[in-house]
Amino acid sequence: MVSWKSLLAAVPFIGAALAQSSQYCDPDNHICFENYVDPIYGSEIGFVFPTSTSSTEFIGQWKIPITSKWFGITLGPGMNRNLLLVAWPNGNNIVYSARVAENYVQPTVVTGPIVTTLGFSQSSTHWKWTFRCQGCTTWSFQGIDGAIVQDSISVFGWALSTTAVDQPSNAASTFEEHDAFNLWGHNVANAHSSSYSDYLSGSGSSGTATATSTVTSTTSVQTIAPTPYDYIVVGGGTAGLVVADRLSEAGKKVLLIEKGGPSTWETGGRDQPNWLKGTELTRFDTPGLFEAMFSSNNPYWWCKDITVFAGCLLGGGSSINGMLYYYPPDSEFSQAQGWPAGWQTPNAARDKLKAKLPSTDVPSPDGKRYLDQVYDVVKTLLNSKGYNPATINDNADWKDSVYGHPAYNFVGGKRSGPLTYLRSSKTRANFNVMTYTNVIGVVRNGAAVTGVRINNTAYGGNGIVPLTTKGRVVLSAGAFGSPRILFQSGIGPSDMINLVKNDATYGPNLPPQASWINLPVGSYVSDNPSINLVFTHPSVDSYDNWQPIWDSPRTADANQYKSSQSGMFAASSPRINFWKAYNGPDNKTRYMQGTARPGAASIETSQSYNASNIFTITVYLSQGITSRGRIGIDAAMRGVPIVEPWFQDTKDKTVLLNGINDILGSMSAVPNLKLITPDLTKITVQSYVDNYGTGSMNSNHWVGSCKIGTSSSSSVVDANTKVWNTNNLFVVDASIIPGQPMSNPHASIMVVAEHAAAKILALAGGA
């Protein structure tokens, strides 16, 4: 069975974005609860405790939509290692159990907590269960310990599914993974009542809570007073963190909204392997855990509403990628690449980035390089083809026949990246951040944007975060996220906006059709086509193909990193990068980039090989590619590729094939080097590339979906990154980049954000 596993391992983070509870008195049983109502699904969850803040029990009440076949809550900030209560109707009865999960797997039933039903009813719309839970405020099961904090606001979570459990009459039944989940802040301090014993005896009347908040039976959602902002930046990823920092640095009142939650320890993340317990190092802090991003049982960091890999957490893709960090060359910003005047040679932006995030190709703090055999093998291969060694970021413009050790912006053996900008932003009183908050769309009256609409309807009573009189919105939600917000705001091609119009949730928020703005949102998309070549060489250590790094890493390497953040885990998996320029059949220059690492994602071969000696060279086509695709949304509002961007122009494939054949043609320069994928005893290189699956070809370096340009007929934003035909709506992220960057786009996106922030601040008419 699939587990109830995706509930985020969040932390006690309470802010305006995390909807909180309020007082509510049930007219049927006269019990007054501290109650939470989910604004999307309408599920209601109430608690009342005895007066003591060290009580061992509570009375709970759930009022759940009838469509939910099971419902559960976690009495802590996430599913893992917290007491769970799960229940479902079975005919006229309620079936329930207490459970725990040590990892993100099917929760197991535990004994100890005593759950007693005080009332159960069903209507045509909801089922309601009132119960007493004794021994439920602290727990200790097989090393899993925890407690409800009873004198403050606690973070709880809920999950529901529209799929029935496997054995409805069995309280220990297994069940499928939930369809939806969320976290909320419950004011447990307000949930203690002097009438608790009366509630248990059934003699409760109006009830008296120990808190001073007003008790009402007409509403159970606390309205959060809206705060207007000069700038609302949507998306706490690679670009959004840079923009928000520079805007707040300029004295503007800035709100940053992020759909996901924390990542690194500094941001509140606490997701660690057991071998890092006792440290302040999470999976996101630790560079060497990069490969484990793709093998987790609970990859909560991936966006669930996009059909390709994208990060929904603070730092965005920069919190989960390999962190290759290459300063963009001037050629990236040429008019030939599609950039309008005013973007060429962005030296000031690049210098700001370098000052904020210096580069290193020796990421371990002890100054040593580790697991460098792949570098030595590939170096020999490239030397035979006339390549030259270099410290790549010493000359960003040199990208022809050059190779070097990978460049990173790790600091002290830990991931840094754009989260460094968040650190400085949070020191300012004029900066605020919302997490776990989904922006549904911008609120606009014609060309004027007045705020953004979020999924927390408790905010302002309608979920609208307002702008100040001269305020502005900057979308930095990524190559898929920013287009979707535009579609949901009535901006883009009509086929996409009509999908929004037909959606029961998002359609009512669209502006009138006469106010729709027709722009080519989602068009002109590119991504690096990438092809993997898998080799073996007797000198190479495949590092167990990275499989044990989370659960059982090599002891010496784990101990070294834990004690000093040095060694193997101070870098991600790549060991060498290289570039070469090729002239295509159309006389246009295209660049090939290569990245090599120990191990392999997949192997297809009939040849015998030693798995401990495998390594992969991934060959990309980068700056100069001419193929373009289109992205959009489907009827479920998920971001999807509509036209795949790889090899739409066959000349791109011709150039990449030339590059691959160049590499393979020099294999004789390296004794004992063996190619196992593609297996040239069975297929040709041409056939291998022709039949390469697009799911593997995807590099997740998507750009261009809100392309910058000089005309609204062929671009989405102008040279100032302002959306055409709007007064105060901007887009700053990978989506505005008109041509594929030279290298992994991490640094390029931050340079774009630095340059764009300066342009936005200089543009007249803003706050």
Side-chain angles (χ1 to χ4, degrees), residues 181-369:
F181 64 88
N182 210 341
L183 302 169
W184 81 96
H186 210 91
N187 194 338
V188 180
N190 261 20
H192 298 274
S193 174
S194 61
S195 298
Y196 189 85
S197 59
D198 293 334
Y199 295 154
L200 289 177
S201 67
S203 60
S205 53
S206 60
T208 302
T210 58
T212 58
S213 58
T214 302
V215 176
T216 174
S217 60
T218 59
T219 180
S220 55
V221 178
Q222 179 183 2
T223 298
I224 302 165
T227 299
Y229 290 90
D230 297 331
Y231 285 88
I232 299 172
V233 180
V234 180
T238 307
L241 292 175
V242 176
V243 172
D245 184 47
R246 294 309 184 190
L247 295 175
S248 62
E249 181 183 53
K252 309 302 180 182
K253 189 171 185 178
V254 176
L255 173 65
L256 175 70
I257 303 178
E258 167 55 39
K259 180 186 292 186
S263 52
T264 62
W265 188 278
E266 182 181 14
T267 66
R270 296 296 182 268
D271 187 2
Q272 299 174 300
N274 287 332
W275 62 273
L276 282 175
K277 297 297 183 185
T279 72
E280 296 185 355
L281 299 166
T282 69
R283 74 160 68 239
F284 307 105
D285 291 287
T286 308
L289 288 174
F290 162 64
E291 295 287 343
M293 298 291 181
F294 305 95
S295 58
S296 171
N297 291 327
N298 177 42
Y300 57 85
W301 46 88
W302 301 123
C303 300
K304 303 301 188 292
D305 50 7
I306 297 173
T307 59
V308 300
F309 285 133
C312 278
L313 74 175
L314 283 170
S318 295
S319 287
I320 55 178
N321 64 7
M323 289 292 284
L324 292 173
Y325 180 63
Y326 292 110
Y327 302 139
D330 286 343
S331 60
E332 263 190 38
F333 293 94
S334 68
Q335 288 181 303
Q337 277 286 102
W339 288 97
W343 280 84
Q344 287 65 55
T345 319
N347 289 331
R350 198 160 38 206
D351 290 345
K352 285 182 178 180
L353 178 64
K354 291 179 180 179
K356 193 85 169 180
L357 293 174
S359 166
T360 180
D361 64 359
V362 187
S364 180
D366 62 7
K368 300 177 182 178
R369 293 193 171 100

Side-chain angles (χ1 to χ4, degrees), residues 507-526:
N509 297 319
L510 278 175
Q513 189 161 348
S515 295
W516 292 3
I517 300 173
N518 182 22
L519 294 173
V521 180
S523 299
Y524 307 109
V525 171
S526 72

Side-chain angles (χ1 to χ4, degrees), residues 12-152:
F13 172 89
I14 296 295
L18 197 56
Q20 297 180 28
S21 58
S22 61
Q23 287 276 311
Y24 164 75
C25 293
D26 187 326
D28 297 326
N29 57 29
H30 305 293
I31 300 177
C32 290
F33 296 95
E34 182 69 18
N35 205 54
Y36 167 72
V37 179
D38 178 72
I40 303 299
Y41 292 88
S43 303
E44 299 186 33
I45 307 161
F47 291 85
V48 60
F49 292 76
T51 53
S52 171
T53 56
S54 59
S55 60
T56 60
E57 65 173 83
F58 60 82
I59 298 172
Q61 184 179 89
W62 301 353
K63 186 178 179 183
I64 309 302
I66 200 71
T67 53
S68 298
K69 303 305 182 184
W70 68 258
F71 188 85
I73 65 169
T74 170
L75 297 176
M79 167 189 167
N80 195 3
R81 305 184 68 83
N82 288 306
L83 182 61
L84 313 173
L85 298 176
V86 186
W88 56 86
N90 181 36
N92 294 323
N93 300 313
I94 185 75
V95 179
Y96 50 87
S97 59
R99 303 184 181 222
V100 295
E102 188 172 4
N103 209 324
Y104 295 96
V105 295
Q106 182 80 217
T108 56
V109 175
V110 294
T111 58
I114 301 172
V115 181
T116 307
T117 294
L118 303 180
F120 174 67
S121 62
Q122 299 182 78
S123 70
S124 61
T125 59
H126 288 77
W127 54 271
K128 183 168 74 172
W129 179 42
T130 307
F131 59 94
R132 181 186 188 184
C133 199
Q134 296 170 274
C136 296
T137 61
T138 62
W139 49 91
S140 181
F141 308 105
Q142 299 174 346
I144 298 175
D145 304 310
I148 297 174
V149 179
Q150 297 185 45
D151 59 356
S152 65

Side-chain angles (χ1 to χ4, degrees), residues 621-633:
L621 205 60
S622 61
Q623 183 176 309
I625 61 176
T626 49
S627 296
R628 295 293 186 271
R630 183 189 178 197
I631 68 169
I633 53 175

